[in-house]
Amino acid sequence: MITSLQNEKVKKWMKLHKRKGRNQTGLFLAEGFHIVEEAYKSGWEIAEIIIAEETACPDWGRHLPIVTVSKKIMQHITQTETPQGIVATVNIKPSTEVLGNTVLLIDAVQDPGNLGTIIRTADAAGFSAVMLGEGTVDLYNDKVIRSTQGSLFHLPVVQTNLQEKIPELQKRGYTVWAAALQDADSYESLRVSEKQALIVGNEGSGIRDEIIHLVDQSVSIPIYGKAESLNVSVAAGILMYYIKS
């Protein structure tokens, strides 16, 4: 059992809390029984399972490399106040683009909870792919992973340049909508295309002008109360379910 914070494995795991460390190693940390199991069941390659003392490894993981650590070490390498006692180091999958008829594009969403919730909702709504543009929070940020509740492992999520990707999608027959507040038509008045892409943007500034200028249609969600706008993850959910309905 590993009990020292100076252990080389512990130092390596701690580096995975930063994007730089994840990029250098090609690994990220998945925390909690449900999320680790979803990674395994979805065919992602688990490098090793880290188990806290007095915590039983699930049956499905017993054939994988297992490292036992003290509760102190588990508390040190996890990012939750009450860790469940299991963490996995998971290999980052090479970015492969698999497109279906419904694609979500994300422009500079910076809150990890929002991004994770959007990915989870895209999975639930049956969207076929999610594309992350520049300025978006790192997909393998621990809060993003926890907020996806495993949906990260269920559908393709790729990094891309939106200014290049939008014209490419249009050439391939997609109609591209941008969720916006100004110069936009209510989503309920619009007909969904057979191949539909939707863009949502930054929490504070929305979708960048250079992106808006490329889309086929700006769409809005009616505000019936006094709120100025909706949270981006809520807006994304409403529009994705409308597109899939």
Side-chain angles (χ1 to χ4, degrees):
M1 177 170 29
I2 296 175
T3 59
S4 171
L5 295 175
Q6 301 308 311
N7 184 279
E8 288 305 313
K9 275 188 174 288
V10 176
K11 291 179 180 179
K12 183 186 78 171
W13 297 331
M14 291 302 295
K15 289 179 180 178
L16 300 183
H17 291 161
K18 303 290 186 182
R19 184 193 287 239
K20 181 180 178 181
R22 295 189 288 267
N23 290 341
Q24 287 176 340
T25 61
L27 296 168
F28 66 95
L29 293 174
E31 180 183 339
F33 283 99
H34 173 68
I35 290 176
V36 174
E37 184 174 4
E38 285 300 308
Y40 173 76
K41 285 165 53 179
S42 302
W44 287 56
E45 184 181 351
I46 293 177
E48 60 189 352
I49 293 179
I50 306 158
I51 293 285
E53 58 184 321
E54 301 177 8
T55 301
C57 182
D59 290 341
W60 52 262
R62 293 187 185 279
H63 67 287
L64 297 169
I66 298 171
V67 182
T68 304
V69 301
S70 67
K71 291 181 180 178
K72 174 185 173 183
I73 297 296
M74 180 59 69
Q75 190 75 53
H76 190 66
I77 64 174
T78 56
Q79 308 250 350
T80 53
E81 290 186 14
T82 54
Q84 296 178 19
I86 182 171
V87 176
T89 58
V90 185
N91 283 282
I92 295 173
K93 274 191 174 182
S95 185
T96 55
E97 184 177 298
V98 181
L99 292 181
N101 287 343
T102 46
V103 180
L104 180 68
L105 292 83
I106 297 176
D107 180 34
V109 167
Q110 296 177 337
D111 181 86
N114 281 339
L115 179 60
T117 300
I118 290 168
I119 292 171
R120 182 180 179 182
T121 307
D123 180 23
F127 262 55
S128 50
V130 176
M131 297 184 172
L132 309 181
E134 296 174 7
T136 299
V137 62
D138 184 28
L139 176 62
Y140 299 106
N141 174 292
D142 68 288
K143 291 181 182 178
V144 174
I145 294 170
R146 288 202 303 274
S147 297
T148 71
Q149 281 295 301
S151 289
L152 160 66
F153 309 118
H154 301 161
L155 76 171
V157 183
V158 300
Q159 304 278 346
T160 192
N161 181 314
L162 297 186
Q163 287 175 267
E164 295 176 359
K165 183 57 62 177
I166 292 167
E168 181 185 315
L169 288 171
Q170 289 165 329
K171 287 178 182 177
R172 294 166 71 169
Y174 288 84
T175 298
V176 182
W177 287 0
L181 295 175
Q182 298 178 338
D183 300 320
D185 295 319
S186 172
Y187 75 93
E188 297 168 304
S189 68
L190 300 173
R191 178 177 171 274
V192 176
S193 299
E194 182 178 344
K195 298 173 77 173
Q196 185 73 56
L198 169 68
I199 308 173
V200 295
N202 178 268
E203 292 88 346
S205 56
I207 300 169
R208 288 172 292 156
D209 288 342
E210 56 266 38
I211 301 294
I212 287 277
H213 292 326
L214 296 172
V215 306
D216 299 298
Q217 177 73 52
S218 290
V219 299
S220 64
I221 299 170
I223 301 291
Y224 299 112
K226 295 182 180 180
E228 289 186 2
S229 62
L230 289 167
N231 172 276
V232 63
S233 60
V234 173
I238 291 170
L239 294 172
M240 284 191 285
Y241 269 89
Y242 177 73
I243 286 168
K244 291 294 290 187
S245 65

